[in-house]
Amino acid sequence: MRPKPLMANRVRRGCMRFESIKRSGGPIALGPPAVYPARMAHARPLVFGIETSCDDTACAVLDGEGRVLSSVVSSQLVHRPYGGVVPEIASREHLRNWPAVSAAALQQAGLELSEVDAVAATRGPGLVGALLVGLSLGKSLAFARRLPFFGVHHMEAHLYSPFLRVDGSPAEPPPERFVGLVVSGGHSLLLEVEGAGAQERITAMAETRDDAIGEAFDKLGKRVGLPYPQGPKVDALAESGDAARCPLPVAARGTELFFSYSGLKSQALLVLERLRAAGIDTRPRVLADGGFELAPEVLDLLAGFRAAAVAQLLDRVERLHERRPIPLLAVSGGVAANRELRRAITRWCEAAGVELRLVPLKFSGDNAAMIAWRGLLLQSSGRTTDPLLCEAQSRIPFYAPAGP
Ligand code: KG4
Ligand code: ZN
C-alpha cells in the first residue's frame, strides 16, 4: 500500500521569475528590486534585447562581455481563462506591457536609452502578431538612433543561453563545437554547433515529428484540469508521484534520430480516461494557498509521463553521442527547468564524461537576455541586420539570413 496520504500533495502557484513584472489585467506591479550590479563598470557595446515571440514581454541589457545588467520579464497571465495563449490578446498585451518593461530594464541596468549601443530583437519563430510588436519597436529604435540592429532567431538564442551567468559575471564564450538540447513549448531539438563567429554552422540532428515536449506537458496538464501554464505544474506535481506505478513507453528507437511526443501524450490521456472510468476523481482541487492536490493515481500518471518524456530526450542524446562523441552538451528552453530532466541529464553527463551546461533557471523560459546575448554573438562576426529589411516570421530555418 502506498503510504502517501491522499490530500498531502501540493504545488505552489506563481513561482515566477525573480524580477518579473506580473500582470493579470490590473495595473503593472514591479517585483522586488533587481540584484544586478547597476552602475558597474561595463564593457561596451551595451546591447538592448527585446523578446515578444509568444506570451512573455521581455527586455534586457547586456554589456559587451555578456554580463546581464538587467533582465525583465512580464508573463501574461491574462491567457489563464482560455487554458492557452490567445495570439491576438498576446499582441495587445505586449503593446501594453512595453513601456513598463523597457523602462524597468533600463532602470535596473542604471542606464538611459541614449547610452544603448545596439539593439537585438526576436524576428521569429513565434506568433507573427506578437513578434511584430517587439520587432517593430526594436527596428524603430535602431533606425531612429542609427544603432546596429540584430534580428534574432528565437531558438538560436535559447541554444546559446546556457553560457549566460546569473551572478553578474561575463558570459562564457561558447566553445567551437558543442551540442544543444533545446526543449520548449514549440520545439524539441538536438542541434550541433561547429565553428564560431562567421564560421558558425548550426545543424539540426533531431527534431520533433509531431508535438514538442513542452506542448505535450501542457496538453496533458490541461486535460487533467490544471490552469495555464501547465508544464511547470505537471512537473511539480510529478515530484509526489511514483513513475514505476504508471510506466509509459519511450517512443521507438529507429535508425533515424527524431523526437515524437504525440504517441506518449495519447497514451497518458488514455490512462487518464481509464482512471475516470474506474470512478477515480481525477480533477485537481485548488487549496487555500493556491496549490493543488490530486488523487495519487493521477500523480503517478504525471510522474510516469514525465519519466518517459525525459527518457526519450536522454535516449536521443545517448545515440548521438555513440555516433559522434559530444564534447559539451548545452541544455536550454522552457522545459530545461524540468526537475527530472535536470537530474537525469546531470547523471548521464557525469557517467559519459560529457561536459554539461544547464541553462540557469532564470534564463530557461523566454527572456530577452538570451536575445541580447545572441545579438552580441552575431555582432562579433559582423552579422548585423538591416532594420528596414528584417521581417517577423512564424517559421525560420536555422541560420537563415535576416533579410532578403
Ligand atoms: O522556451 P519557452 O519559455 O517558450 C517557448 O519558446 O516555447 O517554453 C515554454 C514551455 C511550455 O510548454 C511550458 O509548459 C514548458 O516550457 N515548461 C515546462 C517546465 N517549465 C516550463 N515543462 C516541463 N517542466 C517544467 N518545469
Ligand atoms: Zn522560447
Side-chain angles (χ1 to χ4, degrees), residues 41-128:
H42 29 61
R44 303 204 90 95
L46 295 165
V47 185
F48 190 66
I50 304 168
E51 155 64 33
T52 63
S53 68
C54 190
D55 59 338
D56 292 305
T57 316
C59 291
V61 182
L62 260 66
D63 80 359
E65 289 167 356
R67 285 184 190 86
V68 182
L69 304 183
S70 69
S71 175
V72 177
V73 181
S74 169
S75 301
Q76 301 178 358
L77 301 180
V78 287
H79 302 284
R80 218 165 222 233
Y82 310 97
V85 179
V86 183
E88 175 64 22
I89 295 179
S91 314
R92 288 167 191 265
E93 281 296 293
H94 286 313
L95 267 177
R96 276 160 38 110
N97 293 344
W98 163 263
V101 174
S102 54
L106 288 166
Q107 188 215 330
Q108 288 180 14
L111 295 170
E112 302 290 329
L113 189 57
S114 57
E115 293 176 85
V116 165
D117 300 304
V119 182
T122 310
R123 66 189 167 98
L127 304 170
V128 169

Side-chain angles (χ1 to χ4, degrees), residues 154-155 158 184 366 370:
H154 182 85
M155 302 315 292
H158 274 303
S184 72
D366 289 347
M370 68 178 191

Side-chain angles (χ1 to χ4, degrees), residues 242-250 264 267-268 271 274 297 300-309:
D242 181 354
R245 284 172 171 264
C246 186
L248 291 173
V250 178
L264 173 62
Q267 280 282 336
V271 174
R274 286 198 188 125
E297 292 82 356
D300 293 344
L301 165 62
L302 299 186
F305 168 82
R306 183 180 69 166

Side-chain angles (χ1 to χ4, degrees), residues 82-295:
Y82 310 97
V85 179
V86 183
E88 175 64 22
I89 295 179
S91 314
R92 288 167 191 265
E93 281 296 293
H94 286 313
L95 267 177
R96 276 160 38 110
N97 293 344
W98 163 263
V101 174
S102 54
L106 288 166
Q107 188 215 330
Q108 288 180 14
L111 295 170
E112 302 290 329
L113 189 57
S114 57
E115 293 176 85
V116 165
D117 300 304
V119 182
T122 310
R123 66 189 167 98
L127 304 170
V128 169
L131 284 165
L132 270 173
V133 177
L135 187 63
S136 307
L137 288 160
K139 283 163 51 169
S140 317
L141 179 60
F143 184 72
R145 303 192 67 87
R146 305 275 186 275
L147 299 176
F149 177 75
F150 306 96
V152 170
H153 190 303
H154 182 85
M155 302 315 292
E156 291 177 3
H158 274 303
L159 171 67
Y160 283 97
S161 61
F163 301 102
L164 286 171
R165 296 201 169 115
V166 284
D167 59 0
S169 57
E172 178 185 350
E176 290 268 318
R177 182 172 168 253
F178 70 96
V179 167
L181 175 64
V182 191
V183 278
S184 72
H187 294 82
S188 313
L189 291 164
L190 258 182
L191 300 172
E192 192 172 72
V193 183
E194 287 173 296
Q199 268 68 53
E200 176 201 63
R201 211 178 64 226
I202 301 173
T203 314
M205 308 304 287
E207 295 180 67
T208 186
R209 289 218 168 145
D210 37 61
D211 290 358
I213 181 169
E215 194 181 349
F217 267 92
D218 292 336
K219 284 182 179 164
L220 175 60
K222 190 172 177 180
R223 197 68 82 82
V224 166
L226 293 167
Y228 160 91
Q230 294 88 358
K233 298 179 184 78
V234 169
D235 179 28
L237 286 159
E239 289 286 294
S240 313
D242 181 354
R245 284 172 171 264
C246 186
L248 291 173
V250 178
R253 286 167 149 257
T255 43
E256 273 181 80
L257 217 53
F258 63 88
F259 295 106
S260 167
Y261 281 98
S262 81
L264 173 62
K265 180 195 67 190
S266 303
Q267 280 282 336
L269 295 179
L270 200 68
V271 174
L272 187 65
E273 287 311 315
R274 286 198 188 125
L275 292 177
R276 283 176 184 158
I280 293 168
D281 185 358
T282 61
R283 289 166 302 177
R285 207 166 73 79
V286 184
L287 301 167
D289 67 356
F292 300 96
E293 63 189 14
L294 279 170

